[in-house]
Amino acid sequence: MAVSNDGKILYLIETEDNRLLAFDIQDDGSLRGRRVFLNLDDLFPNGPHIWPDGVKIDAKGELYIGQSPRSLDNPGKIIVVDADGKLLRTLDVPSVSMPNLAFGPNEDVIFVMTLDQIDKAPWHGKVYEVRTVK
């Protein structure tokens, strides 16, 4: 889950449905206006099915979405979209599943907790530092 920088929208990953939901956050903290914010199949219509996993929002309001493709054949990527759900770029990660993300102090890097082994426990993985800008 992630909250928009203005505190008005809650974004929620629905991994199994391959999408992000959005809710309007009311002044009393309740949620209204449940809607599909982004379906990842729409971003990559000819690509393999990508299950979203971790999500973070940077200071510009861009959403960084980790993937969990359920296949060791698909290269790892972090998908970056703007507040309208438009694809801005992807960041390559040398592992297949990214359940947790955290920005470095200046948001020029994002730390990514990954999984390399996705078919059985123990769940071996790594932590990477990935540049957010070129």
Side-chain angles (χ1 to χ4, degrees):
M1 289 189 290
V3 175
S4 63
N5 294 334
D6 63 6
K8 294 183 178 184
I9 301 173
L10 172 69
Y11 296 96
L12 173 69
I13 296 280
E14 276 195 327
T15 301
E16 298 302 318
D17 286 329
N18 195 39
R19 62 189 185 180
L20 277 74
L21 298 180
F23 296 84
D24 298 317
I25 301 172
Q26 306 302 299
D27 291 338
D28 66 359
S30 63
L31 301 176
R32 300 271 189 273
R34 179 186 190 272
R35 60 198 175 277
V36 174
F37 169 73
L38 177 65
N39 185 316
L40 287 164
D41 285 337
D42 294 341
L43 288 182
F44 304 98
N46 298 319
H49 192 68
I50 299 172
W51 287 264
D53 207 341
V55 62
K56 290 290 183 263
I57 300 175
D58 70 8
K60 296 180 285 190
E62 296 175 355
L63 287 86
Y64 287 68
I65 305 161
Q67 67 174 11
S68 181
R70 314 279 171 90
S71 167
L72 296 174
D73 298 329
N74 293 328
K77 293 197 182 309
I78 296 172
I79 299 152
V80 184
V81 300
D82 66 15
D84 295 320
K86 178 185 172 198
L87 179 64
L88 300 174
R89 64 191 171 282
T90 60
L91 307 173
D92 293 332
V93 180
S95 291
V96 296
S97 183
M98 282 130 269
N100 282 305
L101 315 168
F103 287 107
N106 298 318
E107 294 186 344
D108 56 346
V109 297
I110 192 164
F111 298 101
V112 186
M113 193 275 295
T114 68
L115 296 173
D116 293 324
Q117 184 173 342
I118 57 175
D119 56 345
K120 62 180 178 173
W123 313 107
H124 298 287
K126 297 175 183 75
V127 176
Y128 292 100
E129 176 185 310
V130 178
R131 292 252 164 242
T132 58
V133 292
K134 295 192 183 218

